[in-house]
């Protein structure tokens, strides 16, 4: 009988203990939920303030504490555009670019970001097509450097063949062939998502007289028997003006040229 009473007491005590533990756990869950609810930001507050505060807290707790060694740069999309002249996703300059409408955060920036981009323009005039790689560097005001070139000669050139020899052979004319090289440099200015620029350069044009060799000795069948003589070189100035349009990683470039001939070009660049 004594053992039975002792067993009942133990069971009752164990049940009471576990019941209290469960109760305490559930109370703790309720209190934790209330605490989390109270810590949420009031939804009626300014969303821009919350947005900026969230970014600021994130950088204070992570990016800007030395672990990532990145400095936040704040920019207003209404001033710089949603896709400004620099690549906002880059990391090589040790900055983290943050979009904000809070002027107090924008005022913290010590200097404006540097831009660096490169690309290729295909330029066309009445007589030929040019490939024109370019490099842009600077800031809102920038410098653009470009080299323009045509395809290399596809036919052999003979410096020692004279015109009287061609006439004596009776070779027919194949017209003229021209190559060109042009180096230009200039500057521009960015306004929102557009950048305008002007460049000046020096163009060197080489012109050749082309003829058919029906014996395919001076030129192969693959070259249609065409050979070149009588090189004529001309050097003159060139001027170009153009416009850049910016996306996140890319930029579209269009330009017009005059170097004794009018030409237009269109290309694509990568923002680094």
């Amino acid at each position: 009988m004594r053992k039975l009473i002792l067993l009942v007491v133990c069971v009752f005590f164990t049940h009471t203990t576990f019941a209290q533990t469960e109760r305490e756990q559930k109370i703790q869950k309720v209190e934790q939920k209330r605490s989390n609810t109270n810590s949420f930001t009031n939804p009626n507050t300014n969303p821009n303030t919350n947005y900026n505060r969230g970014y600021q807290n994130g950088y204070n707790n992570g990016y800007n504490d030395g672990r990532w060694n990145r400095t936040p740069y704040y920019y207003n999309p209404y001033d710089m555009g949603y896709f400004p002249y620099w690549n906002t996703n880059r990391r090589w300059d040790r900055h983290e670019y943050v979009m904000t409408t809070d002027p107090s955060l924008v005022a913290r920036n010590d200097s404006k970001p540097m831009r660096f981009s490169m690309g290729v323009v295909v330029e066309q005039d009445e007589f030929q097509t040019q490939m024109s790689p370019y490099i842009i560097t600077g800031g809102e005001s920038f410098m653009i450097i470009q080299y323009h070139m045509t395809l290399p000669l596809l036919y052999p050139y003979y410096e020692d063949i004279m015109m009287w020899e061609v006439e004596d052979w009776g070779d027919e004319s194949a017209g003229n062939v021209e190559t060109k090289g042009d180096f230009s440099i200039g500057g521009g200015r960015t306004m929102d998502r557009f950048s305008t620029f002007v460049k000046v350069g020096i163009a060197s044009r080489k012109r050749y007289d082309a003829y058919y060799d029906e014996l395919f000795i001076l030129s192969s069948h693959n070259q249609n028997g065409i050979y070149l003589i009588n090189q004529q070189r001309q050097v003159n100035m060139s001027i170009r003006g153009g416009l850049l349009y910016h996306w996140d990683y890319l930029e579209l470039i269009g330009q017009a040229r005059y170097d004794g001939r009018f030409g237009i070009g269109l290309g694509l660049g990568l923002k680094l």
Side-chain angles (χ1 to χ4, degrees):
M1 185 65 180
R2 180 179 299 175
K3 291 182 179 181
L4 180 59
I5 294 173
L6 183 59
L7 180 61
V8 171
V9 171
C10 289
V11 170
F12 178 78
F13 177 79
T14 302
H15 175 74
T16 303
T17 302
F18 279 102
Q20 290 175 346
T21 302
E22 179 182 357
R23 175 184 175 84
E24 290 174 353
Q25 290 178 352
K26 290 181 177 180
I27 291 175
Q28 183 179 3
K29 295 294 184 181
V30 172
E31 291 176 348
Q32 184 176 354
K33 176 179 174 60
R34 290 175 179 174
S35 176
N36 291 337
T37 302
N38 292 334
S39 66
F40 288 156
T41 305
N42 187 345
N44 295 323
T45 58
N46 188 337
N48 289 330
T49 303
N50 299 334
Y51 179 75
N52 295 327
R53 185 183 299 117
Y55 266 113
Q56 182 61 40
N57 292 339
Y59 288 115
N60 288 339
N61 296 332
Y63 288 111
N64 206 26
D65 65 355
R67 288 182 294 172
W68 297 95
N69 198 24
R70 294 177 189 164
T71 303
Y73 182 94
Y74 301 97
Y75 69 97
N76 191 332
Y78 297 105
D79 296 333
M80 307 299 296
Y82 285 91
F83 300 105
Y85 61 80
W86 72 92
N87 182 354
T88 58
N89 297 291
R90 70 190 186 193
R91 298 294 181 269
W92 54 265
D93 61 350
R94 296 185 177 181
H95 280 82
E96 193 75 17
Y97 294 100
V98 185
M99 191 183 300
T100 181
T101 55
D102 188 343
S104 64
L105 293 178
V106 175
R108 298 182 184 182
N109 302 324
D110 52 356
S111 61
K112 292 185 177 180
M114 186 184 77
R115 74 191 299 161
F116 186 76
S117 62
M118 57 179 61
V120 176
V121 177
V122 178
E123 204 170 72
Q124 180 71 48
D125 61 27
E126 185 180 356
F127 299 97
Q128 59 190 186
T129 301
Q130 292 182 228
M131 299 294 292
S132 306
Y134 72 87
I135 294 176
I136 292 177
T137 184
E140 279 188 312
S141 299
F142 60 90
M143 178 177 66
I144 177 170
I145 301 173
Q146 195 168 17
Y147 182 72
H148 317 267
M149 56 186 174
T150 57
L151 293 175
L153 286 176
L154 302 177
Y155 312 112
Y157 166 65
Y158 292 91
E159 187 176 357
D160 57 348
I161 293 180
M162 303 300 161
M163 188 64 200
W164 65 266
E165 293 177 294
V166 175
E167 293 175 351
D168 188 51
W169 296 332
D171 291 344
E172 295 183 4
S173 173
N176 300 105
V177 173
E178 188 174 280
T179 62
K180 180 185 172 187
D182 184 353
F183 176 80
S184 62
I185 186 171
R189 180 75 178 174
T190 299
M191 294 173 290
D192 198 8
R193 294 177 70 171
F194 295 91
S195 299
T196 57
F197 62 87
V198 175
K199 297 180 293 157
V200 294
I202 299 177
S204 175
R205 185 180 288 115
K206 294 179 181 179
R207 186 181 179 93
Y208 304 85
D209 295 330
Y211 291 88
Y212 291 106
D213 177 17
E214 67 276 7
L215 300 178
F216 297 100
I217 296 174
L218 299 176
S219 181
S220 68
H221 285 81
N222 293 333
Q223 297 166 319
N224 298 320
I226 297 176
Y227 65 95
L228 307 177
I229 66 169
N230 190 24
Q231 182 191 88
Q232 306 160 58
R233 185 175 179 180
Q234 180 183 4
V235 177
N236 57 337
M237 299 291 293
S238 66
I239 184 169
R240 288 173 174 83
L243 183 69
L244 286 156
Y245 184 77
H246 309 285
W247 284 293
D248 199 1
Y249 292 93
L250 302 174
E251 59 189 12
L252 181 68
I253 178 173
Q255 62 186 28
R257 178 203 81 216
Y258 181 74
D259 59 355
R261 299 175 184 169
F262 287 101
I264 57 173
L266 189 66
L268 198 64
L270 181 65
K271 294 160 60 178
L272 303 177

